[in-house]
Amino acid sequence: MILKECFDAKDIKSILCHPEIYDTISSDNCIGASYFEPPINDDYKYIVGYVNDKPISVMIYHKYLDGNECHVQVLPEFRKEYAIKFGEQSLEFRGNLPLYAEIPELYKNVLAFALANNFYVINTINDGYIKNGVKHLVNILKYRG
């Protein structure tokens, strides 16, 4: 797997707009995947993992509080083999600012993955995420790195 900063919206969208991923990351008030365009500007950094020149994963960094927030996505068929490795390697691009993540309580597997990889909960937001008409608590996490 090769990781590099990516400015190609097509490569980024090939991961984020995958039906399983987009359904998970989008709340009820989000636009449909066919209308989504990733912001490509100085406030966002996209690290994409490639296997045989095919994009299989993306780590997104963007401004948040006193640092950056991160979001990691790996195509379902590559998670078993590459998720942990990609998560670890993509954190090397984080810089020196504090790093945060927001994870709805609904996604217990994602929260467990973050907690197992040096993140810890610093706060929660009640009803911070709405999915299928149901309000969910959102965990705000900070990286120990």
Side-chain angles (χ1 to χ4, degrees):
M1 179 173 46
I2 296 172
L3 278 67
K4 60 183 177 180
E5 188 170 1
C6 180
F7 301 93
D8 184 340
K10 181 181 170 202
D11 281 0
I12 296 163
K13 286 173 62 172
S14 73
I15 299 155
L16 295 180
C17 293
H18 179 282
E20 188 176 320
I21 290 175
Y22 198 79
D23 181 60
T24 300
I25 64 174
S26 60
S27 64
D28 285 359
N29 61 352
C30 288
I31 60 173
S34 61
Y35 300 103
F36 173 76
E37 288 298 325
I40 309 287
N41 59 47
D42 290 342
D43 291 336
Y44 287 81
K45 182 191 298 187
Y46 300 90
I47 306 303
V48 174
Y50 295 87
V51 171
N52 298 324
D53 296 322
K54 178 187 179 199
I56 64 136
S57 52
V58 63
M59 172 69 90
I60 304 164
Y61 294 104
H62 63 85
K63 295 180 188 292
Y64 183 85
L65 299 176
D66 61 339
N68 289 305
E69 182 177 2
C70 66
H71 310 268
V72 62
Q73 299 298 330
V74 179
L75 292 175
E77 62 269 28
F78 293 96
R79 288 178 184 158
K80 185 175 181 180
E81 186 173 354
Y82 292 103
I84 293 172
K85 183 177 179 182
F86 177 74
E88 291 170 349
Q89 290 181 0
S90 62
L91 284 172
E92 294 175 14
F93 292 83
R94 74 182 179 279
N96 296 322
L97 295 174
L99 185 61
Y100 300 91
E102 288 189 4
I103 303 174
E105 191 71 22
L106 172 66
Y107 303 116
K108 296 190 182 308
N109 62 324
V110 177
L111 181 59
F113 183 81
L115 292 171
N117 285 281
N118 289 327
F119 281 85
Y120 62 99
V121 176
I122 60 168
N123 202 356
T124 57
I125 302 170
N126 289 324
D127 304 335
Y129 181 78
I130 302 173
K131 187 68 171 181
N132 301 322
V134 179
K135 295 178 181 179
H136 299 276
L137 178 104
V138 174
N139 293 282
I140 301 172
L141 297 96
K142 189 171 184 180
Y143 184 64
R144 291 185 214 275

